[in-house]
Amino acid sequence: MAHSRTLVEKSHLLHTHPLSQSPLVPIYKLIAFVAFVILSATLLFTIHDNGRTSIFPSGSIHSLSSEFCPQTMVLVPRANHKLWLNAGEEFNTMAFKASAIHWLSGAIQIETETYDDMGPVGEDPRWENRLQFHDYLEKTFPLVHTYLKLEKINTYGLLYTWQGSDDSLKPSLLMAHFDVVPVNPDTLSDWAYPPYSGWFDGELIWGRGSTDDKGALIGIMGAMEVLLRHGFQPSRTLVAAFGFDEEGGGYYGAQELAATVLNRYGEDSFAFVIDEGGGFAERFGTVFATPGVAEKGYVNVELSVSGPGGHSSIPPEHTTIGILSALLVELETHPFEAHIERNTSSYHLFQCFAEHGTAISPTLRDAIRLSASSDEALREVEVLLFQDPWYKSLVGTTQAIDMVRGGVKSNALPEQAWAVVNHRIATTTSVNATIEHDVALLQPLAEQFELEFSTLGKKISIPGGTPKGNLQLTRSFGMEPAPVSPYKGDASAPYQLLAGTIKATYNAHRNMPGDSDNIVVGPGMPTGNTDTKYYWPLSRSILRYKHLNGGSSNNYLTGAHTVNESISADSLLETFRFYTTLILNADESEEF
Ligand SMILES: *[C@@H]1O[C@H](CO)[C@@H](O)[C@H](O)[C@H]1NC(C)=O
Ligand SMILES: *[C@@H]1O[C@H](CO)[C@@H](O)[C@H](O)[C@H]1NC(C)=O
Ligand SMILES: *[C@@H]1O[C@H](CO)[C@@H](O)[C@H](O)[C@H]1NC(C)=O
Ligand SMILES: [Zn+2]
């Protein structure tokens, strides 16, 4: 069993029902337990007459108070405390572990691949395996399919509604997607176990989709099934929306699902939206969870150079391919500068590292602390952190020349050469600013090569003379950086609820004392984009998080989009506990 047991002796409180230990629990232990529960309930929560719970109590007993990275407290369901303990006990059983593994394994075995060139739903038969996935869920989670309303949006999108009893409460939305990126057939032999086997090797469940994103989807479904089995009836409506083409941009799935939800509930109608994103991992000696509060923008810039063709025996000095190469070299020689800005979520995350990372180097810690008021220190932080490209990518706009094409024959001059530059846009800037940067950089070269430069609907001509060719710069797809979800102040209640839930889950899963600080939560940002882009109007609090255990790696998604994708059974089990705790906490919150 892979379950982490290192701190098992420290305490069973808030985790294990006292009577389950042994039928002969001494009475003094029972009394101590009851006293503890009453005491901690008094200390941990502000209990209101209506039975709802405030997560901002006046006298917080939190020990991780810090000026730069304040932490919310552990948040354990109160009104449904007994139910939560009982569900937690169930998660600890071998029987539940076996069914959890079975659930995910079966989901992996349905090959719901999304390809770049897929046609519309109803035309392209490659969507049809999604129906098998629907049937699989129906068979696997019978209570969910009895008590929740299920609608199929654009044939394959799944929209579950668990109607709450109190219409005055804003509903909450959980998202996941059940499509996967294709497996490259050339890499099949590199996999430890076949990608669609769902094989469990005693520790890991193997296969495409295990971490991205069927593990989360099964986690949500399983949590709802368990809650229903334990008799839970929500007061706050819960909606679950599962897309089927996230890996292709969510055009047919999430876009249609979001439109349906928006049309039904209206703008700003949801307490929060939680979709895939960050998990937790050890950094600088401390375990940090990093729910994504921001998301970078995205734009593809296409460059096309055209010129006269002809026989290559009488070539010009530069062919279109040569010119395009010069343009691309120019871009790579002048990458976007990455500078940390103080009012960004990434800077606040770095402050969390400095405040709570027990093994951070004193030099970095001091630089981050001083950088709050010293520009010099801030530049030093950049030098220190950016040695790891992951930190640099959080801060700056990136560029990657991902496609290039030109020429058809070895003895013919290429009439056209073409390339795509993929940009991920920093949260502090915009699509237009990114394109303007490229235009400004390339304009002198266009002049040097005597090209007419057409971009964004205007033409920049060559001063005095006939152009030797044409350079076209167009954008093929663009998305602004996402609005930043509140993670401080009054509007941040949903983020704080998530943070408290993460802490409660982490402690309960490891049998750690319920109110102890073992994991720090800081504002994160996923490296890729998610289906949430279609849901922006629905809620101020869009959070990207799925409670995957990343161990000591930056990458929570072991093997996602490549070979050997797998999830540990232990991390999967923790996923059920996470969604269960989240649903109960959200149901009880009075902050939204
Ligand atoms: C996948 O895992 C197997 C078994 O651990 C290993 O031999 C193989 O090198 C891994 N493949 C890659 C590409 O990491
Ligand atoms: C950050 O500060 C800059 C400069 O003061 C300001 O223009 C920008 O709006 C701020 N951004 C946020 C997210 O507060
Ligand atoms: C971006 O630039 C285009 C044309 O150059 C303009 O039409 C558009 O409004 C700009 N978008 C924003 C968000 O400023
Ligand atoms: Zn995904």
Side-chain angles (χ1 to χ4, degrees), residues 477-535:
F477 178 77
M479 182 184 133
E480 297 295 341
V484 179
S485 302
Y487 55 94
K488 299 183 289 193
D490 287 347
S492 72
Y495 174 87
Q496 308 299 348
L497 178 114
L498 174 62
T501 299
I502 291 168
K503 290 172 183 232
T505 305
Y506 188 89
N507 287 348
H509 186 69
R510 288 161 185 74
N511 272 315
M512 289 167 159
D515 60 347
S516 62
D517 275 314
N518 304 296
I519 180 168
V520 173
V521 181
M525 185 162 70
T527 42
N529 290 115
T530 67
D531 267 346
T532 55
K533 56 182 170 283
Y534 301 110
Y535 290 83

Side-chain angles (χ1 to χ4, degrees), residues 444-478:
L445 280 180
E447 281 173 24
Q448 186 190 319
F449 289 110
E450 297 174 57
L451 305 177
E452 183 181 67
F453 190 2
S454 10
T455 176
L456 311 172
K458 59 180 192 241
K459 277 192 169 52
I460 307 168
S461 309
I462 303 302
T466 340
K468 291 188 173 156
N470 187 276
L471 166 62
Q472 254 190 358
L473 185 154
T474 47
R475 51 176 274 191
S476 63
F477 178 77

Side-chain angles (χ1 to χ4, degrees), residues 99-110 129-142 145 152 158 160 214 217-218 221:
S99 43
I101 292 165
H102 190 73
W103 288 343
L104 179 59
S105 173
I108 291 169
Q109 289 170 44
I110 303 163
N129 51 32
R130 273 61 176 169
L131 293 177
Q132 277 174 54
F133 196 84
H134 294 181
D135 292 346
Y136 177 73
L137 291 183
E138 220 162 305
K139 183 180 79 188
T140 309
F141 302 105
H145 289 86
K152 300 191 175 167
L158 296 176
Y160 291 93
K214 287 176 176 171
L217 187 148
I218 294 296
M221 292 297 284

Side-chain angles (χ1 to χ4, degrees), residues 176-190:
H177 64 90
F178 59 94
D179 63 313
V180 297
V181 287
V183 172
N184 177 351
D186 296 342
T187 63
L188 275 174
S189 62
D190 297 336

Side-chain angles (χ1 to χ4, degrees), residues 73 80 229 248:
M73 62 196 173
N80 290 294
R229 195 151 64 220

Side-chain angles (χ1 to χ4, degrees), residues 231-280:
F232 175 64
Q233 294 177 327
S235 46
R236 183 189 302 281
T237 295
L238 175 72
V239 178
F242 302 143
F244 60 89
D245 65 340
E246 192 273 346
E247 302 294 358
Y251 184 76
Y252 299 109
Q255 181 164 255
E256 301 272 337
L257 283 158
T260 305
V261 175
L262 257 173
N263 185 36
R264 183 168 304 163
Y265 296 91
E267 290 197 0
D268 199 22
S269 55
F270 273 66
F272 60 79
V273 174
I274 296 183
D275 192 14
E276 62 177 329
F280 61 93

